[in-house]
Amino acid sequence: MIAETVIPLFSMLCYALLGIMLARQFPLRREARLFLGYLIVIMLWSFGSFMMHANIPSGSTLFWNHFLAVWPSFAAIIYFQFVRVFLRKPSHSLWLFVGFLLCAIWLFALARGYIIQEAYFSENTYQVQFGLGFFILFPMIFCFVSMAVFWLAKEFRSTKDPFIRNRAGYLLIGISIQLLLSATNLIPWLARYPIDQVGNVINAFLIGYAILKYKLLDIDIILRKGSFYAILTSFVVAIYFAVAVLVHTLVQARTGYDIWISVSLTGILVAVSFLPLYRVTQRQLDRFFDRKRYDYREMLRTSSKAMASTIDLDELISYIMDRIPQTMGAEKASMLLLDDEGQQYHLTACKGNCSLSHGAACFRYNSPLSKYLSQKNSCLTADEINRMPRFRALWKSEREVLKRLDAAVLVPLKAQEALVGLLVLSPKKSGEAYTDDDLGLLSTVANQLATALRNAQLYEKSRQAYQELESAQERVIVSERLKALGEMTSGIAHDFNNILTTILARAQLALGKTENDKAKNDLMLIEQAALDAAGMVRRLQDFCRVRTDCVLDVIDVNQVASNALGMIKPRLDEGCETLHSRIEVVADLGKISPIEGSAAELREALLNILINGIEAMPHGGKLTVKSEQEGNFAVISITDTGIGMTSEVRKRVFEPFFTTKGAQGLGMGLSVVYGIISRHKGQVSVSSSPGRGSTFTIRIPVTEDGETEAVPVQSRKSGSINATILVVDDDEGSRDALRDLLIGYGHKVDTASTGKEGIILARQKDYDVVLADLGMPDISGDNLAAEIKARNHKTQVALVTGWGIQLDPMHLKKRGVSHVIAKPFTKDDILAIVDQLLVSSASQMELNNSK
Amino acid sequence: MATASELLKAGKTRELWEQYCGFTDLSTEEFMEIQKSLLLEQLELLNNCEMTKRIMGAHPTTIEEFREQVPLTTYQAYIPNLQERREDVLPLKPLLWVRTSGRSGEYPFKWVPVSERFYDEMGKYCIACLILATCSRKYDISIEDNFKCFYAMAPPPFPTGAYAMAARREFALDFMPPPDEAELLNFNERIRIGISQSLDRGMDLIFGLAGILVAIGDRFSERSGGGNISSLLRRPRALLRLTKGLIRSKLARRTMLPKDLWKIKGVVGAGMDAAIFRDRIRHYWGRRPLDGYACAEFGLMAVQTWDYSDMVFVPTTAFFEFIPEEERQKSKEDKSHHPRTVLLDEVEAGKKYEIVATSYYGGPFVRYRIGDMIQVNALRNPVLNIELPQIAVHSRCDDIIDIAGFTRLTEKVIWQAVESSGVGYRDWVVQKEISDNPILHLYLEAKDPDMTAEEARLMIHQKLRELDKDYNDLQDMLSYNPLKVTILPQGAFQRYMAQQQAAGADIAHLKPPHLNVSDEVIGALMNVHES
């Protein structure tokens, strides 16, 4: 009996609550008005049922029965019309007219007793007897609701919009249950129970849920809070009743203080149980309304942890791109980050099929999307983008990007108020829309993520900067060491050249004088040893960058590289045949401007590196030669996949005489490379680590054009004798050796040990040729040449130097220097040059005479 | 993107409003952001098109460069490419071409290319007009799918027809007559069939030229019953509607009007006369027309809001610049003067501007002088809380009659004066004549054959004094009354149009212009009764 009374009452309250929620939306649209009408009618129906089952006042059962029976027919027709309007069905007033006509007939039949013949309580059991009218009219009214059910089902099946599906779905389930349970009225033994009211309650709950989750009819949510307090109150009331009944039963007879005991006990129980009860209720409601909240909390927790502990950018992005789409159930996710220039957001990472290429520019920094997301701190959905007028300013290309990313939600990644990137999620696999809770979670994660990304980016940048700094520091140290070494080597080479000049010249003079075969052999050995030593000194000078006795020309680096690769081919073939080690050579030569330099020298440098690379790959590997232009520099890189080198080796690799090949290596190859590249005003560097091969990178400035005059040394053409020659050299050995050599070939030779002495002599006598040392303590050779030339321009001046020929040819020409002769020289070299100078002197004289 | 139909079906009315009418919520700053963003996109297209590069004579990449370097243009600059409908020279291949009337003797039509995206935008703005025309407050969505729509505008390829079709992409509208059928009919037949079908099926909406709606209302009010009852007997719905209408009119003790037959939910009016006929349309049809400002080159540019007062610009159909009136005057006097322009966020309330527009979405027009003057009435609408400048179309630039340098009367003002004076008229033209003093000579065909010129002059003069302060001052300060009225013979305009039609004139040239008509036209109007 209590259940029969409570259920309609509860139903009535539910519908009253729903009605209030709806009425709060005033002014109401048409479908909302109809729905409100439906809720009111059901509420009246439940009220009638309640009054009837409560039997208040006693004996009025038939009246309340008639009262309650009025409303189902109206409810059916109003619901029918509501569904038509809700689903935007074409308006046919005929059916509505028929419906209300039926209601009118129903009312008439009810009043005449054709619907309910009898209704009464017998032994506390409700008894009802339906008339013929009920069985005729009820199915007809039933048809209207069935039609509404059919339309809702059709809508549910036909639409792809998950939002509409859900809205229609809950209405469909609710009314179906209500319809089914109302049909129990046709079965007499069931009609006595308010089963139809149970259907009403279920329907009310489903409508409430649809309002809560899917904003059915745009109704605001108050259900959650209302439920919370209602449940709490119910618990408190229940406790009170339980305690009161218990106390009343147990102690009343004996004490008479049952009310005081009840109240006290209730107070204590409520005080003790309220807080746990509050928490349990809150948790259970949250769980009921937000099932996903627990998953989200978990995600938030793990993400926070990961983001706090990961500093590597790639690792962080990879983690997020796995975790977020998985939790959200999204098919795809993409991350766009702002480029270093701060102009564009580029696709940095993608999860799922993505039709955009990695790194593709997606949005401008000042596009409406990025501007909006910079200003707001919330997610942006595709619906909002389509809806909000400001996004109509999106460019076509940006709309295309959104389409290709299959964007359903854009999550801003903001750090320090700047939009550093965007996380783009596609629709959920389930087809459900993103809820406010989803978006809230994404915003929270995004805030953390943006900070973590920012930190990771800063870390990455500082790491790179540190690496660059370290590398530059290393280069400076190596460069300084090599420079010092070069200066020292240069001095030694100079002194050695002077010594070797004496040895060589004396040996050659002695060779011309002696007839003793054994002595000749010995002298020839001395001459050869001196020449070998001269070769060694020349290599040292190569390293010291002092050799410029090569032709400088405008050269094509790629051509030189191709030549060098061609030259190592036999070596590669040999290795392939004898050692069965196959080395794959890859040439990736890009377009670069020419450089100014010596093709022969550059080729030698490349060959040295290539051969080193081949030797570093005894078991085969890959040798890659790549060239490209970076700004004003031609960059050639040679990479091998060989054994690599330790950092210690790498630091010393360009030092002369440093070798890892033991007795087989001279340790000059890479130092020569260093000298050659330095002479080309370039840089050479190496990166390597053990087991991972090495890369040598050469950077040489490119040139627009330019040709350098060559100063070739000609072979001896004629044997002029009796020339007057002045030899000026502070090194006595060299000076005397040269004098004796020239006298031996019939020339008249004077000598001077200082520059000043040379000038005095040149003033006193007109010399055909002056051979002067370049570096003398009092006056340099080029200044001496200028002085002599000023006095007698016919005199041909050649400089002899152990420093090599590092002076600018144009400068020397201006100073009147005709030749530069490197020490040590051979007899033939010096005689050929003297002959050439004499020929020039004669030509000059003829020219003057003709004038 | 969800269409209006889909949003409506899903019950997302707030979203529906936001999607279509949300531009009314923009601030001027937001409006300008949209304008500038779309212009930058357009500049990329313009800079890659030979025709527009030639017209611009520059390669602007910023808004500032664009405004400084690109000259102002008129339709002449686009001839013959647009006249020949050459798609290969355009910045973007168009979806379709629309046309409007050209200039007599120069070009018969103005052909205008319409890109896909522009067409979509126009469809959206048509829906916005529908919503605004049927609402009574913000977020009030009264439109419904399959609204019965009486279509009294020019069919495609005229812009009004083309863009109304674009609206059907967004929303199911039941046009009467259906567009494909309407294209085959002449204007009068379309109106007749539309009304006939509406009698059977009802009428929820009207897309119509204001003058036509008034003319239909006039016909209703002048007709005193009658009609073919036997034909109506075969159409019970029409008969029922007419019966209801008749009862309503009898209860109101007047002749039957359209509003007795249909409960119109919205009227979207077009034409310069919409503002003038506003009250009469309301009287006849029971609802005020929503006014829009549009042209063939740029589609809808501004629209009235739901208080039916001023208009606001729409942000995404063209980039708008405004030449201040004094700058315009200066350039008119000195052809070498390049008038300075201002943007919407720089306009001042109470001032008049000539409008200059640049196409978006690959359209060809660059800094194009449409030839219209607008007046900025306020910088915001405090009643509706709209933060955009409130404007009204003032006049055509060349439709101004200057009286003694003292007052400059526009077509609109004269029309309003004639309309509100109480003089029943069929149509009118006006001409400025110079004798000793300048004379504003109004030629008017009165409905009442007994109306005298003096009666009409006094009534119209009074209204002109009320409507135009300068005109009033002319009388008060100089004691000078420049108005002269000549009553044209009965049927003068109808016969004139028949003559024009017989001579093969385009639909737009059937009627004479209201202002500055030639002596030939005056002669033709005066003499038609003799022919």
Side-chain angles (χ1 to χ4, degrees), chain B residues 421-425 444-460 485-488 490:
Chain B
S421 64
V423 176
Y425 69 97
L444 181 136
E445 182 186 334
K447 283 182 183 171
D448 179 3
D450 298 329
M451 169 70 71
T452 65
E454 185 56 18
E455 282 172 350
R457 191 189 70 77
L458 287 172
M459 290 161 83
I460 295 167
V485 174
T486 297
I487 301 292
L488 290 169
Q490 289 293 306

Side-chain angles (χ1 to χ4, degrees), chain B residues 356-410:
Chain B
V356 172
T358 299
S359 305
Y360 285 149
Y361 319 119
F365 299 107
V366 180
R367 303 197 81 207
Y368 185 89
R369 295 178 85 152
I370 299 168
D372 291 333
M373 295 290 289
I374 59 136
Q375 177 160 330
V376 178
N377 291 331
L379 293 181
R380 64 184 300 271
N381 183 335
V383 179
L384 303 184
N385 213 15
I386 292 173
E387 299 298 331
L388 293 173
Q390 305 290 302
I391 64 134
V393 178
H394 180 255
S395 64
R396 289 284 304 165
C397 288
D398 48 3
D399 286 351
I400 291 174
I401 290 186
D402 191 312
I403 306 291
F406 203 88
T407 177
R408 286 193 292 181
L409 294 170
T410 64

Side-chain angles (χ1 to χ4, degrees), chain B residues 277-429:
Chain B
F277 288 136
R278 182 184 299 173
D279 292 336
R280 282 173 72 185
I281 290 173
R282 190 181 187 184
H283 170 68
Y284 289 142
W285 297 89
R287 191 148 186 118
R288 279 180 294 189
L290 186 90
D291 207 0
Y293 171 45
C295 69
E297 293 90 331
F298 302 102
L300 184 82
M301 292 180 286
V303 68
Q304 235 171 5
T305 42
W306 56 101
D307 59 350
Y308 293 89
S309 59
D310 292 318
M311 291 195 266
V312 290
F313 277 105
V314 298
T316 59
T317 52
F319 180 76
F320 299 114
E321 294 173 76
F322 305 92
I323 303 175
E325 192 181 22
E326 58 276 12
E327 279 286 313
R328 199 189 86 80
Q329 197 60 32
K330 216 184 280 181
S331 71
K332 204 174 171 186
E333 289 157 8
D334 175 9
K335 297 289 178 198
S336 65
H337 177 71
H338 297 291
R340 168 181 67 87
T341 62
V342 296
L343 301 179
L344 194 72
D345 54 353
E346 298 164 323
V347 296
E348 293 174 46
K351 292 207 167 178
K352 298 187 190 79
Y353 299 89
E354 181 187 341
I355 188 162
V356 172
T358 299
S359 305
Y360 285 149
Y361 319 119
F365 299 107
V366 180
R367 303 197 81 207
Y368 185 89
R369 295 178 85 152
I370 299 168
D372 291 333
M373 295 290 289
I374 59 136
Q375 177 160 330
V376 178
N377 291 331
L379 293 181
R380 64 184 300 271
N381 183 335
V383 179
L384 303 184
N385 213 15
I386 292 173
E387 299 298 331
L388 293 173
Q390 305 290 302
I391 64 134
V393 178
H394 180 255
S395 64
R396 289 284 304 165
C397 288
D398 48 3
D399 286 351
I400 291 174
I401 290 186
D402 191 312
I403 306 291
F406 203 88
T407 177
R408 286 193 292 181
L409 294 170
T410 64
E411 179 189 11
K412 194 172 162 184
V413 168
I414 299 170
W415 203 339
Q416 277 174 335
V418 174
E419 177 69 23
S420 57
S421 64
V423 176
Y425 69 97
R426 298 209 189 279
D427 212 340
W428 57 273
V429 294

